[in-house]
Every structure is written in C-alpha cells, then in structure tokens.
Amino acid sequence: MTERTVTVTNQAGIHTRPASIIVRTASNFEAEIIIQRGAYEINGKSVIGVMTLAAEQGSELVLRADGPDENEALAALADLFARGFGENDPDEPSVNQAS
C-alpha cells in the first residue's frame, strides 16, 4: 500500500466535475483507491463517495492505493490535484473544448 497527501488547489474545491475526473482516473487502475479527509475514508472509484468529502480549496486529503499499479495510480491522481483539475490554469483547455 502506498499513500500520498494532496491539497485541493482549485477555487471551487471538489465539486461534480473534479469528482468525476477523480473517479474516471481512479477507475483506469486495478489498485483499490481510498481517499481520506480527517477520519472519513471513501472509495476513490465512487463519485458519490468523492462528493461526500465536501473538500474545499485548501483541504488536505490522503490518497491511498493498494494493488499492482498503485504507484502509477497515485501519480496520476496527485497530478490532477496539482493541476487544479484544469480549473487553475486559464491556458489549459477545458474538458468540454474540442481539440
């Protein structure tokens, strides 16, 4: 099992769009993904679970992964948080924009 602490950097926090991006990313990996905020732990592959974290900007979350691709899973998820789910950088194209 591997874990990493991340901080929610986007201004709106974890709302529907970032929650769905987290779940979509986590679901690409075989590893079990757990996200913890304080004493509360949820399945990182459940959009309802991720939404219930109610993680606002500045919240620290612990990401835990257990499985054959746990390091890759945590790296991908940590990158999402670091980039603010594309909401912090005005030059980063929106998920809804065509390439």
Side-chain angles (χ1 to χ4, degrees), residues 46-62:
S46 164
V47 73
I48 298 298
V50 175
M51 292 289 298
T52 63
L53 290 171
E56 66 277 349
Q57 184 180 33
S59 297
E60 284 195 353
L61 306 175
V62 176

Side-chain angles (χ1 to χ4, degrees), residues 2-85:
T2 306
E3 75 176 47
R4 189 179 281 192
T5 300
V6 295
T7 302
V8 178
T9 60
N10 58 312
Q11 186 175 9
I14 305 298
H15 55 89
T16 306
R17 182 180 168 274
S20 67
I21 293 170
I22 291 167
V23 170
R24 225 179 8 241
T25 301
S27 295
N28 287 326
F29 297 95
E30 190 176 328
E32 177 183 350
I33 310 291
I34 300 295
I35 304 174
Q36 179 180 348
R37 181 175 186 206
Y40 190 63
E41 293 185 353
I42 57 93
N43 177 348
K45 295 181 182 182
S46 164
V47 73
I48 298 298
V50 175
M51 292 289 298
T52 63
L53 290 171
E56 66 277 349
Q57 184 180 33
S59 297
E60 284 195 353
L61 306 175
V62 176
L63 307 178
R64 266 192 216 96
D66 189 18
D69 51 1
E70 62 191 41
N71 292 321
E72 295 86 353
L74 286 187
L77 290 167
D79 182 59
L80 291 176
F81 281 89
R83 291 186 296 112
F85 307 96

